[in-house]
């Protein structure tokens, strides 16, 4: 960290440079708002860089993307934004590339799968900030009471375990949150478990692939059709599914690291395993990353680069990840977390990160596709749903959107 901060003048003839950052809030209350993290980080940075001031404003995830969009569209882009997507701004030529900003050691420290996911047309514009992967959570107490001796390893296990849980009176044997909150995530988890994905290796959409069709037909017939999801998946949001697990009403569900803290706060004895696939472990798990980006408009490339080098120091990445139960986005901080027994419950998630599959967020068509998935996939697995027809409809929408942006 000291190497990147020696001799840090403002480069502006003695006049302070004021940087602005719009960031998302990872906390769930004022007490643990991300504003506290940023305030501490900025104080430390400004002490060592007296010519640079940084103003960070934190917004909820509900508002932050819209706020950045409004500022950019009104010609008042912030110097930096830490939000959920970067590709549209990169496509419009509004962003600095990561190699325009970061020192070589810092840029090279990003976990390779995350750095690649931040590329638009083979140039990195999105710098990963927070990351997570998914594992299957199960309630050990409910499993033991239902006579289940081991967590599920494949879909047959999921089905038989869910049936045993239902027979024992568990309200929601398998929570399947395909409500509008985060349908695109649950959808990708099941695609990967069934050997599919949203796209192929060259980035073409494969939403209605035979693998994906088989996956959602299985969900419709075996889990929803046999009343093992505790109700209509189209009406269950992730937040409610997590709350149900923490309350002891859910036997199994796919979850990310923040569910650990939620479950532990309610005294739930849980375990996690890699996502089960059709006949064994899923080919990959889903990874999610949020993105830091820097806008060209104000021209503070040098100062932004110094600040981001500081943000991505091993110490600061590890502190943020520990504060919010997220996975480090750099190799150095990941190695530090893996070597620390305090983070042992995160190790399973972290070991999956290098091979995780991400949303195709480098495609400017993805926001529309994601929105369509959110509105359609829940009903597709319902009693009146048609998974094949729905996936084909979404595929057609995706292809049209993709072609119009090429």
């Amino acid at each position: 960290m000291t190497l990147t901060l020696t001799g840090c003048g403002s480069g502006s003839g003695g006049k302070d440079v004021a940087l602005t950052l719009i960031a998302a809030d990872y906390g769930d209350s004022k007490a643990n708002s991300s504003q506290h993290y940023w305030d501490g980080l900025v104080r430390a940075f400004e002490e060592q860089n007296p010519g640079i001031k940084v103003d960070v404003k934190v917004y909820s995830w509900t508002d932050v993307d819209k706020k950045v969009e409004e500022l950019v569209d009104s010609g008042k882009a912030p110097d930096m934004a830490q939000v959920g997507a970067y590709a549209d701004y990169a496509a419009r030529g509004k962003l600095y590339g990561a190699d325009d900003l970061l020192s070589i050691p810092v840029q090279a420290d990003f976990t390779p799968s995350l750095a690649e996911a931040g590329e638009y047309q083979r140039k990195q514009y999105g710098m990963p900030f927070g990351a997570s992967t998914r594992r299957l959570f199960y309630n050990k107490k409910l499993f033991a009471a239902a006579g289940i001796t081991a967590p599920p390893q494949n879909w047959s296990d999921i089905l038989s375990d869910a049936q045993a849980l239902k027979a024992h009176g568990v309200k929601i044997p398998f929570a399947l949150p395909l409500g509008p909150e985060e349908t695109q995530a649950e959808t990708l988890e099941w695609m990967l478990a069934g050997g599919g994905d949203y796209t192929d290796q060259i980035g073409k959409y494969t939403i209605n692939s035979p693998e994906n069709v088989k996956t959602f037909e299985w969900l419709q017939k075996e889990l929803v059709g046999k009343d093992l999801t505790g109700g209509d998946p189209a009406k269950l949001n992730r937040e409610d599914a997590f709350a149900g697990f923490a309350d002891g009403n859910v036997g199994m569900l796919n979850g990310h690291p923040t569910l650990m803290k939620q479950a532990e706060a309610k005294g739930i004895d849980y375990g996690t395993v890699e996502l089960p696939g059709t006949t064994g472990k899923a080919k990959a798990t889903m990874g999610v990353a949020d993105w830091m980006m820097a806008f060209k408009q104000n021209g503070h490339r040098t100062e932004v680069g110094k600040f981001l080098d500081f943000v991505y120091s091993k110490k600061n990445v590890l502190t943020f990840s520990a504060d919010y139960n997220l996975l480090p986005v750099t190799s150095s901080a990941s190695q530090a977390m893996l070597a620390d027994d305090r983070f042992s419950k995160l190790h399973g998630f972290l070991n999956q990160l290098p091979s995780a599959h991400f949303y195709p967020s480098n495609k400017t068509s993805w926001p529309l596709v994601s929105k369509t998935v959110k509105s359609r996939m829940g009903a597709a697995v319902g009693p009146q749903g048609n998974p094949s027809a729905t996936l084909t409809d979404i595929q057609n929408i995706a292809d049209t959107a993709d072609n119009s942006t090429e």
Side-chain angles (χ1 to χ4, degrees):
M1 193 164 73
T2 54
L3 286 175
T4 62
L5 294 174
T6 52
C8 285
S10 69
S12 55
K15 184 179 178 182
D16 282 356
V17 170
L19 303 178
T20 55
L21 165 62
I22 303 296
D25 196 350
Y26 290 83
D28 54 15
S29 67
K30 282 189 175 181
N32 70 347
S33 168
S34 298
Q35 191 71 57
H36 300 301
Y37 170 79
W38 286 114
D39 288 348
L41 185 145
V42 166
R43 278 195 301 272
F45 174 77
E46 289 179 349
E47 284 177 6
Q48 299 180 54
N49 294 268
I52 306 174
K53 301 295 181 185
V54 186
D55 178 37
V56 182
K57 287 186 169 60
V58 171
Y59 292 84
S60 72
W61 275 108
T62 305
D63 301 324
V64 68
D65 287 286
K66 184 179 179 183
K67 180 63 178 179
V68 173
E69 184 180 355
E70 289 173 350
L71 289 169
V72 173
D73 290 347
S74 64
K76 300 175 182 177
D79 292 287
M80 294 162 284
Q82 183 267 302
V83 290
Y86 65 87
D88 182 56
Y89 298 119
R92 290 154 62 187
K94 294 186 176 295
L95 302 179
Y96 287 115
D99 53 3
D100 298 323
L101 301 162
L102 302 174
S103 64
I104 291 173
V106 170
Q107 188 177 4
D109 197 25
F110 287 129
T111 300
S113 61
L114 291 170
E116 185 178 343
E119 293 179 357
Y120 174 75
Q121 295 185 346
R122 299 190 178 184
K123 181 179 174 72
Q124 186 182 359
Y125 294 94
M127 291 161 276
F129 189 71
S132 68
T133 59
R134 300 296 194 264
R135 289 170 71 84
L136 183 137
F137 283 68
Y138 63 99
N139 184 311
K140 290 184 176 180
K141 181 179 178 180
L142 295 180
F143 266 50
I148 305 168
T149 58
Q153 301 296 317
N154 54 51
W155 288 1
S156 294
D157 292 345
I158 285 179
L159 176 57
S160 60
D161 291 350
Q163 289 172 325
L165 290 164
K166 182 183 178 183
H168 191 67
V170 174
K171 187 176 179 182
I172 305 175
F174 196 108
L176 186 65
L178 290 172
E181 180 189 359
E182 206 186 36
T183 326
Q184 81 285 1
E186 191 74 15
T187 296
L188 179 54
E189 290 162 25
W190 283 99
M191 284 179 170
L192 291 169
D197 205 334
Y198 278 120
T199 59
D200 62 18
Q201 291 183 332
I202 60 172
K204 293 293 184 182
Y205 283 111
T206 54
I207 293 167
N208 67 337
S209 68
E211 294 85 358
N212 290 341
V213 171
K214 287 180 182 178
T215 292
F216 289 94
E217 287 179 344
W218 184 87
L219 283 173
Q220 181 187 43
K221 178 184 176 184
E222 302 295 347
L223 290 190
V224 182
K226 293 179 179 176
D227 193 26
L228 299 174
T229 58
D232 184 356
K235 296 179 180 177
L236 181 64
N237 280 322
R238 185 199 68 187
E239 183 178 353
D240 296 326
F242 280 18
F245 187 81
D247 287 338
N249 296 322
V250 173
M252 297 175 277
L253 79 169
N254 297 329
H256 54 66
T258 57
L259 179 55
M260 298 190 302
K261 183 178 179 181
Q262 200 171 339
E264 288 163 5
K266 293 287 190 76
I268 298 297
D269 185 14
Y270 66 89
T272 73
V273 292
E274 292 182 49
L275 299 185
T278 50
T279 57
K281 294 176 182 177
K283 72 170 186 178
T285 189
M286 183 183 89
V288 174
D290 304 316
W291 304 101
M292 179 75 75
M293 66 197 83
F295 290 90
K296 293 178 179 178
Q297 181 179 313
N298 301 319
H300 295 145
R301 182 179 68 84
T302 301
E303 293 80 12
V304 168
K306 288 175 181 175
F307 179 65
L308 291 179
D309 270 0
F310 186 77
V311 167
Y312 285 108
S313 70
K314 179 173 73 172
K315 175 186 174 184
N316 287 329
V317 171
L318 189 59
T319 297
F320 176 79
S321 302
D323 284 352
Y324 295 103
N325 258 1
L326 291 166
L327 305 181
V329 297
T330 62
S331 297
S332 60
S334 295
Q335 289 163 6
M337 181 174 276
L338 287 171
D340 192 332
D341 288 342
R342 290 179 302 162
F343 304 114
S344 59
K345 289 186 177 180
L346 282 169
H347 290 173
F349 294 91
L350 186 51
N351 284 325
Q352 297 177 154
L353 188 58
S355 60
H357 287 225
F358 296 84
Y359 299 133
S361 52
N362 60 336
K363 297 168 79 68
T364 56
S365 55
W366 171 242
L368 173 62
V369 175
S370 176
K371 182 180 178 180
T372 307
V373 170
K374 286 183 177 184
S375 67
R376 299 287 302 276
M377 284 311 299
V381 299
Q384 309 303 318
N386 186 327
S388 179
T390 299
L391 290 168
T392 297
D393 286 348
I394 300 173
Q395 175 76 37
N396 291 335
I397 290 168
D399 286 341
T400 300
D402 217 22
N403 292 334
S404 69
T405 58
E406 287 182 354

